[in-house]
């Protein structure tokens, strides 16, 4: 995580100031450590759980910051792979909360995965010896062990946007594994759940485009997704 983050300077990325290994009493290399900036504003998960759906301007502000952080990481060929509300932390700056993307611990992970097990229905679940993603926030290619890329993070950003705008986890099922087949094979489940949350029109179309099962059909990069969603929400861009 420290090696990945040390390359990144975006204001919405958790900054790492130093890293290395502790030394044991016998002089041997001990446990790894890193020193990061201090954040005392909690995380997005607790923020939304406490307040419910966020005001549109607050949600899009958080999303744009995190999308910017992702864009810089992608420029360095770093894919986060585990974007979720608990990994969006807040710093308090002059009385306001500033979002920070944290936990790059599985970025560029080379931990070998166990070969997918073939099931009777022909769908092979990707089961690794180490959990390299959070199933409720994972893209279809992660669930089936296919190659990942920037659009993998775009998918998670789509789920993040839905969580902020609705206060609901799109795949919040008690047994999230039951959704794996539908999420990998097509877009019907996603489309129906977006409608059930009351998200419709241009907003639903943009979210659906970020959450397409086939990565090649998905919105290609994080800033484009944020801009499209801002336009769909009929919000003026204050940076223009």
């Amino acid at each position: 995580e420290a090696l990945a983050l040390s390359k990144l300077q975006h204001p919405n990325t958790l900054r790492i100031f130093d890293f290395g290994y502790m030394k044991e009493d016998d002089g041997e290399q001990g446990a790894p450590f890193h020193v990061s900036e201090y954040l005392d504003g909690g995380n997005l998960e607790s923020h939304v759980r406490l307040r419910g759906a966020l005001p549109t301007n607050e949600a899009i502000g958080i999303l744009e910051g995190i999308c910017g952080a992702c864009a810089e990481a992608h420029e360095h060929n770093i894919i986060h792979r585990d974007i979720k509300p608990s990994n969006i932390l807040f710093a308090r700056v002059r009385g306001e909360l500033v979002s920070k993307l944290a936990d790059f611990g599985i970025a560029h992970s080379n931990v070998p995965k166990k070969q997918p097990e073939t099931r009777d229905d022909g769908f092979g679940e990707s089961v690794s010896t180490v959990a390299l993603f959070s199933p409720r926030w994972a893209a279809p290619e992660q669930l089936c062990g296919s190659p990942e890329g920037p659009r993998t993070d775009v998918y998670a950003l789509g789920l993040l946007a839905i969580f902020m705008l609705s206060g609901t986890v799109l795949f919040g099922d008690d047994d999230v594994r039951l959704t794996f087949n539908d999420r990998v094979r097509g877009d019907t489940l996603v489309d129906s759940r977006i409608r059930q949350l009351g998200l419709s029109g241009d907003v639903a179309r943009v979210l659906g485009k970020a959450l397409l099962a086939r990565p090649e059909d998905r919105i290609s990069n994080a800033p484009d997704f944020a801009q499209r969603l801002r336009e769909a929400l009929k919000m003026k861009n204050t940076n223009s």
Side-chain angles (χ1 to χ4, degrees):
E1 179 179 9
L3 287 170
L5 283 174
S6 66
K7 302 177 182 179
L8 306 179
Q9 305 294 322
H10 194 277
N12 294 99
T13 298
L14 177 71
R15 295 295 308 278
I16 295 292
F17 298 121
D18 195 12
F19 57 91
Y21 289 90
M22 303 292 288
K23 285 188 177 181
E24 302 290 354
D25 292 338
D26 58 6
E28 293 296 316
Q29 178 174 289
F33 74 88
H34 71 253
V35 181
S36 72
E37 62 180 312
Y38 176 63
L39 304 183
D40 62 349
N43 64 46
L44 182 61
E45 181 173 19
S46 59
H47 196 56
V48 174
R49 297 293 187 197
L50 180 65
R51 299 174 55 200
L54 302 183
T56 304
N57 61 337
E58 182 178 356
I60 200 70
I62 293 171
L63 181 69
E64 288 178 332
I66 300 305
C67 283
C70 281
E72 185 197 34
H74 295 165
E75 289 172 0
H76 287 84
N77 297 316
I78 297 170
I79 313 302
H80 189 285
R81 295 185 172 94
D82 197 27
I83 297 171
K84 58 185 178 181
S86 60
N87 283 339
I88 310 299
L89 309 181
F90 290 108
R92 297 184 188 275
V93 180
R94 294 187 296 276
E96 296 185 359
L97 294 179
V98 177
S99 59
K100 301 272 185 173
L101 179 59
D103 196 359
F104 279 76
I106 66 171
H108 275 321
S109 174
N110 292 317
V111 176
K113 292 182 180 179
K114 186 172 68 176
Q115 287 298 315
E117 297 176 0
T118 302
R119 300 184 345 187
D120 292 339
D121 59 9
F123 172 70
E125 285 189 28
S126 174
V127 182
S128 68
T129 54
V130 178
L132 295 184
F133 55 81
S134 302
R136 284 177 172 76
W137 305 93
E141 58 269 27
Q142 292 176 290
L143 298 179
C144 63
S146 297
E148 302 161 357
R151 297 180 199 218
T152 302
D153 285 346
V154 168
Y155 191 98
L157 291 166
L159 295 176
L160 194 74
I162 290 173
F163 181 65
M164 289 191 288
L165 292 172
S166 69
T168 301
V169 178
L170 193 67
F171 302 120
D173 310 72
D174 290 337
D175 187 352
V176 71
R177 294 172 298 178
L178 298 178
T179 67
F180 284 9
N181 275 334
D182 291 330
R183 289 161 64 181
V184 169
R185 287 177 166 170
D187 305 307
T188 303
L189 176 66
V190 168
D191 291 342
S192 65
R193 291 196 174 188
I194 289 175
R195 288 195 301 272
Q196 289 169 13
L197 293 175
L199 301 167
S200 59
D202 291 341
V203 173
R205 280 188 284 275
V206 172
L207 292 170
K209 190 72 174 173
L211 295 172
L212 290 172
R214 286 163 45 95
E216 57 268 32
D217 297 332
R218 214 174 286 156
I219 294 174
S220 62
N221 62 76
D224 186 26
F225 168 58
Q227 181 60 31
R228 290 194 197 192
L229 189 59
R230 173 178 282 280
E231 292 172 356
L233 290 166
K234 308 294 191 293
M235 296 185 65
K236 184 177 179 181
N237 193 331
T238 57
N239 295 322
S240 61

